[in-house]
Amino acid sequence: MRTARLLVLALLAGAAVAGAALPDPTTAGGGTVTDPQGDAVGAGPDIAAFSVCHTATELQLDVNLFTPWGNDKGVVIDLDVDQNSNTGLQGFEFLVFTFGQQEHAGVLNLTTNHVTGVATVTYGATSVMLRFPLSAIGGDDGVLDALAQVGGASGSTLLISDRAPDASLLASVACGGPVPTTTTLPTTSTTTLPTGSCTGDEQCEDGDACNGVATCDLRSGTCRAGAPLQGKDDLLCQLRAIEDAIMAAGGSSVAAGAQRHLLNKVRAISSKTQGAFAADEAGNAKKRHRLAVGTGKALAQLVVKVGVLRRKGRIDGVLAEMIERRARSASDALSGLGL
């Protein structure tokens, strides 16, 4: 695999940036280090800041850049979990690596050369955030030193262009202050977390799969929105959400006859949509266009029908507004596909 080859080459590169030596084992405290703009080698990515923090169960690594992140960029983070430069491989026991837009990154034990865990990765326009359980690094307490390196791909080689810190290692700190003893939201007034802070991804979910998967930034205790679904995925998601909501609605939300009628209409729309996609893949432009036009008209008719049922008191306002909103979103997604 290309990623594996890049990982090996990144390991061989070690901490070398344009021939520089390994960083001095002295450690920078504070959990965050800034890096000068313009010190990257060549046209490679340029680090602006690097942060490391931990909770009682997870480690979070944030790399922010002056330059845009892209599919040809990679980041390598070396971890000295025992904070002893005389142990491990050149002082490091573990390494985390991600390339391009991979959703997950491997955590590698540098002593055994075995993958010991998986990190989730969240990308921004100029940032990369990696998170993984402390069990992936031998159940460490998260108090460790780290070094971040970034580079661009050239064939099967990752050319390291910048690192942070430049001449030392960065010591981790507790995310948001003292480390909580549990990953669930505390219920007592003795918590050290700010009111409303998140401590896990599950607290950031809004229940809407079409919005993408939200994640919790453990350092700030705030939720990061996921990337909304696009194109076909968004269209199908909106239709599934409408069908699920109608099926789950009780008698106080929609009359039984209206519920059956709406379910039949939504399922017919889904069938037309799938048919249009299949025709598109088969290269049948005429059938694709006919079914796509039919889907668009059916979505518009669904909105009208819901309005009629609402005026007659056969569906409540909340459910009606949800169906109308999602039907319009599905119509927008369909239009964007140009079928």
Side-chain angles (χ1 to χ4, degrees):
M1 293 175 60
R2 186 174 184 227
T3 301
R5 292 169 63 197
L6 284 168
L7 176 56
V8 171
L9 288 163
L11 282 168
L12 293 176
V17 180
L22 285 168
D24 187 273
T26 57
T27 302
T32 299
V33 63
T34 57
D35 195 63
Q37 185 172 11
D39 68 339
V41 176
D46 189 0
I47 297 177
F50 173 45
S51 301
V52 187
C53 76
H54 60 88
T55 67
T57 58
E58 290 186 294
L59 188 72
Q60 177 171 313
L61 309 161
D62 290 89
V63 178
N64 292 279
L65 305 171
F66 289 112
T67 49
W69 184 259
N71 290 331
D72 60 341
K73 305 296 189 294
V75 58
V76 181
I77 301 178
D78 296 296
L79 303 174
D80 179 7
V81 297
D82 62 1
Q83 298 181 304
N84 184 343
S85 62
N86 296 316
T87 59
L89 179 63
Q90 295 182 324
F92 300 107
E93 289 77 34
F94 292 89
L95 174 147
V96 191
F97 173 83
T98 189
F99 178 79
Q101 300 289 334
Q102 295 173 336
E103 294 182 4
H104 298 92
V107 180
L108 184 70
N109 184 316
L110 295 175
T111 302
T112 64
N113 203 33
H114 291 159
V115 174
T116 54
V118 176
T120 58
V121 190
T122 303
Y123 300 96
T126 58
S127 64
V128 180
M129 180 180 77
L130 302 99
R131 276 179 45 201
F132 57 86
L134 294 175
S135 58
I137 51 174
D140 188 75
D141 59 4
V143 179
L144 49 76
D145 298 334
L147 172 71
Q149 300 175 93
V150 295
S154 176
S156 60
T157 304
L158 184 67
L159 302 177
I160 301 298
S161 59
D162 198 10
R163 72 183 181 202
D166 283 328
S168 62
L169 303 179
L170 178 64
S172 65
V173 297
C175 298
V179 185
T181 58
T182 175
T183 57
T184 58
L185 282 176
T187 57
T188 68
S189 59
T190 59
T191 176
T192 57
L193 295 173
T195 302
S197 291
C198 62
T199 57
D201 293 342
E202 68 281 356
Q203 295 157 6
C204 297
E205 285 300 319
D206 61 2
D208 187 350
C210 307
N211 285 342
V213 180
T215 56
C216 176
D217 184 336
L218 298 176
R219 171 170 290 278
S220 62
T222 57
C223 293
R224 292 188 179 185
L229 299 183
Q230 302 292 327
K232 293 181 180 180
D233 292 336
D234 185 30
L235 174 53
L236 294 175
C237 183
Q238 300 295 346
L239 292 175
R240 281 195 301 270
I242 294 173
E243 182 175 349
D244 290 345
I246 295 172
M247 290 181 63
S252 60
S253 298
V254 59
Q259 184 182 41
R260 288 193 298 271
H261 180 75
L262 290 174
L263 277 175
N264 289 336
K265 287 188 73 68
V266 173
R267 287 167 178 168
I269 294 172
S270 296
S271 179
K272 282 188 176 70
T273 302
Q274 295 284 8
F277 292 164
D280 184 46
E281 292 176 0
N284 190 334
K286 185 176 181 180
K287 183 177 181 180
R288 176 203 66 198
H289 180 70
R290 175 173 58 81
L291 290 171
V293 170
T295 298
K297 289 181 178 179
L299 284 167
Q301 291 168 357
L302 175 63
V303 172
V304 172
K305 184 62 178 180
V306 169
V308 172
L309 292 173
R310 184 178 183 179
R311 288 192 294 274
K312 291 182 177 180
R314 302 190 67 193
I315 185 172
D316 73 7
V318 174
L319 180 58
E321 289 174 5
M322 187 281 290
I323 295 174
E324 291 169 349
R325 174 174 54 82
R326 288 194 179 276
R328 292 190 178 98
S329 294
S331 182
D332 291 342
L334 177 65
S335 298
L337 291 172
L339 297 176

